[in-house]
């Protein structure tokens, strides 16, 4: 379904205070210095991938577009800033009329990225662009981390469906964003109804152990669930004795029982035993769903087990050990005056300790081999080499302050699957290693 056309009745609040105070104090100082109107180019990138990861996944772009559109300082916010003396009256007057009117380019959502990739480029006056740093990084760092974990889990699952069920393990609003990011990374459904409502992600869910414990017997609980939800439901079979529960489940629902869920124990061993028992009872089409604190490694270890679907919670919504993508937002080029026609000059941080940046407005392209497999991430400034002209990665997202790139979430999900399939096979290995593609710089590390 085209989620971009759903017009879901969800109000996105102003994002104007989803920022750090120094964004506003820099703005005030730049206004006084006469430099606030200088045309500037900021880029989002990461200097390195999380340890052992082979690729990153761009996620959150659609949410960034919402955030930029809703970056408005209403009277209550301006009153708060005045009361706390965060900025002066001149700056408050400027903020009252704030509307981003610049351009944003970026990797399309769902695409993969590597160290140095200019994942997003924000252009406009310094004043307009600097205010967006925190909210853009907040969204991209969180969502890209979750999507990368989801992508690894999806690869490990080998085509078996994955259910996102981590809402109770994170902030209630982060849970909705995590469901969205997981869907991009390859998950097929979520237990979170807010995510289903907001993004039209398929939702699933039946019962927990509490429902079984509520009833006098396990058989009574199964009968109540089947009577309400039908024989195609999923029955939770590990509250007491798994063998007895499976027998009772098939007797109550019949061989048409949809699925059983296993949430504890040695999942590999129990899954084999349950599959054998189901087949012996004539429930050969009954599926087996496993949960219980899974991550990509646990999923991979169950590849040979008769498991039909996985439910993943904690490890997914925490990025499977890497809850951030460590992206930064850096000024890479700016004009010398406020004249709209003033040329851009590259600027870059020169500090030590691995926190340097590369100056200049950049393009990015992916070089492919004769078989269509990616070979390198090529990043440069200036003219794009002719052989890479049709391999460029950045696309327009916002032009003149207007969003131009909203798209259905299913398109993003399909894009990620295609991008991952275009990487070398080693990209899906779970063993620790370097990024699967090298990052190469063209035309040297400078230029505008």
């Amino acid at each position: 379904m085209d989620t971009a056309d759903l017009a879901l009745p969800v109000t996105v609040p102003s994002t104007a205070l989803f920022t750090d105070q120094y964004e506003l104090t820099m703005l005030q100082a730049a206004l006084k210095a006469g430099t606030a109107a200088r045309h500037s180019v900021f880029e989002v990138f990461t200097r390195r991938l999380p340890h052992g990861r082979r690729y990153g996944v761009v996620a959150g772009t659609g949410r960034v577009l919402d955030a930029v559109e809703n970056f408005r300082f209403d009277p209550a916010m301006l009153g708060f800033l005045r009361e706390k003396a965060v900025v002066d009256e001149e700056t408050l007057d400027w903020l009252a009329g704030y509307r981003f009117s610049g351009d944003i380019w970026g990797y399309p959502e769902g695409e993969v990225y590597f160290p140095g990739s200019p994942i997003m480029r924000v252009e406009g006056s310094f004043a307009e662009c600097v205010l967006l740093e925190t909210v853009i990084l907040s969204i991209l760092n969180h969502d890209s981390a979750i999507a990368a974990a989801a992508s690894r889990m999806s690869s490990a699952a080998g085509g078996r469906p994955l259910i996102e069920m981590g809402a109770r393990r994170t902030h209630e609003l982060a849970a909705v964003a995590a469901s969205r990011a997981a869907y991009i990374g390859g998950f097929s459904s979520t237990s979170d109804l807010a995510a289903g409502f907001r993004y039209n992600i398929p939702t699933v869910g039946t019962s927990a152990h509490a429902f079984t414990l509520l009833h006098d017997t396990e058989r009574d609980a199964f009968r109540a669930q089947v009577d309400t939800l039908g024989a195609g439901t999923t029955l939770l079979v590990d509250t007491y004795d798994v063998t007895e529960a499976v027998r009772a489940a098939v007797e109550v629902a019949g061989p048409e029982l949809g699925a059983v869920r296993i949430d504890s124990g040695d999942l590999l061993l129990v899954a084999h035993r349950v599959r054998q028992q189901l087949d012996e009872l004539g429930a050969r089409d009954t599926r087996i769903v496993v949960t219980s604190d899974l991550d990509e490694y646990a999923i991979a270890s169950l590849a040979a087990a008769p498991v039909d679907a996985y439910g993943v919670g904690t490890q997914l919504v925490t990025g499977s050990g890497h809850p951030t993508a460590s992206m930064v937002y850096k000024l890479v080029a700016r004009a010398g005056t406020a004249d709209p026609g003033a040329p851009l000059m590259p600027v870059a941080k020169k500090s030590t300790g691995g926190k340097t940046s590369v100056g200049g407005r950049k393009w990015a392209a992916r070089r492919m081999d004769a078989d269509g497999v990616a070979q390198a991430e090529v990043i440069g400034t200036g003219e794009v080499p002719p052989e890479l002209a049709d391999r460029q990665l950045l696309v327009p997202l916002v032009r003149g302050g207007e969003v131009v790139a909203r798209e259905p979430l299913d398109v993003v999900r399909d894009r990620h699957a295609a991008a991952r399939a275009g990487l070398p096979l080693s990209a899906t290995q779970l063993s620790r290693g370097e990024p699967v593609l090298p990052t190469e710089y063209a035309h040297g590390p400078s230029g505008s």
Side-chain angles (χ1 to χ4, degrees):
M1 180 178 289
D2 187 345
T3 55
D5 295 334
L6 286 176
L8 296 177
V10 177
T11 300
V12 179
S14 170
T15 53
L17 293 187
F18 292 174
T19 190
D20 292 305
Q21 180 166 314
Y22 78 173
E23 315 292 2
L24 300 189
T25 54
M26 283 192 287
L27 168 65
Q28 176 176 305
L31 288 170
K32 288 189 178 299
T35 54
R38 290 183 176 183
H39 188 75
S40 300
V41 180
F42 287 82
E43 288 177 353
V44 176
F45 63 93
T46 184
R47 296 184 177 96
R48 63 192 65 84
L49 297 180
H51 183 60
R53 295 288 171 90
R54 304 298 182 91
Y55 60 92
V57 181
V58 179
T61 307
R63 297 205 310 119
V64 166
L65 299 181
D66 289 341
V68 171
E69 274 194 335
N70 289 279
F71 204 94
R72 306 281 189 271
F73 290 86
D74 62 31
M77 294 176 176
L78 295 170
F80 164 77
L81 296 174
R82 179 178 291 108
E83 178 187 351
K84 301 299 181 182
V86 174
V87 290
D88 61 19
E89 286 298 324
E90 177 188 356
T91 306
L92 288 171
D93 288 343
W94 191 93
L95 292 173
Y98 180 86
R99 301 289 186 275
F100 181 73
S101 63
D103 300 331
I104 300 179
W105 290 67
Y107 279 37
E109 191 166 17
E111 184 57 84
V112 296
Y113 69 86
F114 299 90
S117 296
I119 296 161
M120 185 170 287
R121 188 174 75 215
V122 182
E123 297 195 39
S125 70
F126 176 84
E128 283 189 284
C129 298
V130 73
L131 294 183
L132 299 177
E133 174 181 4
T134 302
V135 71
I136 287 177
L137 288 179
S138 175
I139 293 170
L140 293 181
N141 269 314
H142 173 268
D143 290 21
S144 296
I146 305 306
S151 180
R152 285 163 59 86
M153 293 174 187
S154 175
S155 292
R160 295 171 177 173
L162 290 157
I163 306 162
E164 185 281 312
M165 47 195 306
R168 63 191 61 194
R169 297 291 187 252
T170 188
H171 184 279
E172 66 272 18
L173 298 182
V176 181
S179 294
R180 182 183 184 279
Y183 191 68
I184 291 170
F187 277 58
S188 57
S189 58
T190 178
S191 65
D192 189 358
L193 290 175
F197 176 69
R198 178 67 182 90
Y199 297 115
N200 201 40
I201 300 169
T203 59
V204 297
T206 51
S207 68
H209 293 290
F211 186 75
T212 301
L213 296 171
L214 169 68
H215 292 81
D216 295 335
T217 68
E218 193 169 45
R219 186 180 296 269
D220 288 344
F222 290 167
R223 184 174 294 108
Q225 185 173 327
V226 170
D227 286 348
T228 303
L229 300 178
T233 190
T234 299
L235 297 177
L236 181 60
V237 295
D238 70 327
T239 304
Y240 304 118
D241 180 86
V242 173
T243 300
E244 290 301 318
V246 170
R247 180 179 297 108
V250 175
E251 288 176 355
V252 169
E256 295 78 27
L257 174 61
V260 295
R261 178 163 75 95
I262 306 167
D263 189 50
S264 60
D266 182 336
L267 296 179
L268 179 63
L269 175 62
V270 175
H272 277 287
R273 288 178 174 173
V274 168
R275 180 74 271 160
Q276 181 178 352
Q277 186 181 8
L278 287 170
D279 291 347
E280 291 173 349
L281 293 171
R284 295 184 177 276
D285 294 327
T286 298
R287 295 173 295 113
I288 297 175
V289 180
V290 297
T291 51
S292 187
D293 206 24
L294 301 175
D295 62 9
E296 60 265 49
Y297 301 102
I299 291 169
S301 73
L302 293 168
V307 172
D308 298 285
Y310 306 92
V312 189
T314 303
Q315 293 302 318
L316 175 66
V317 299
T318 57
S320 195
H322 297 289
T324 178
S326 299
M327 295 177 187
V328 295
Y329 183 97
K330 297 299 179 184
L331 182 66
V332 297
R334 53 92 174 169
T337 70
D339 185 339
L344 290 173
M345 61 183 73
V347 294
K349 184 177 179 180
K350 300 297 184 184
S351 63
T352 59
K355 298 186 72 173
T356 58
S357 57
V358 178
R361 179 206 274 134
K362 299 173 197 67
W363 51 262
R366 192 161 296 149
R367 190 168 63 243
M368 316 293 279
D369 66 16
D371 296 319
V373 178
Q375 288 184 312
E377 195 86 341
V378 186
I379 300 167
T381 57
E383 295 297 319
V384 181
E387 67 273 15
L388 294 175
D390 63 347
R391 298 291 183 184
Q392 294 190 71
L393 292 163
L394 277 78
V395 299
L397 302 173
V398 176
R399 283 199 184 104
E402 297 296 324
V403 173
V404 297
R406 279 204 173 85
E407 54 190 352
L409 200 56
D410 284 335
V411 170
V412 176
R413 187 172 186 265
D414 291 344
R415 177 183 295 123
H416 175 62
R420 188 177 67 191
L423 296 175
L425 285 176
S426 58
T428 58
Q429 292 178 348
L430 296 181
S431 56
R432 297 192 182 278
E434 297 301 312
V436 72
L437 294 187
T439 301
E440 301 176 358
Y441 287 92
H443 304 313
S446 63
S448 60

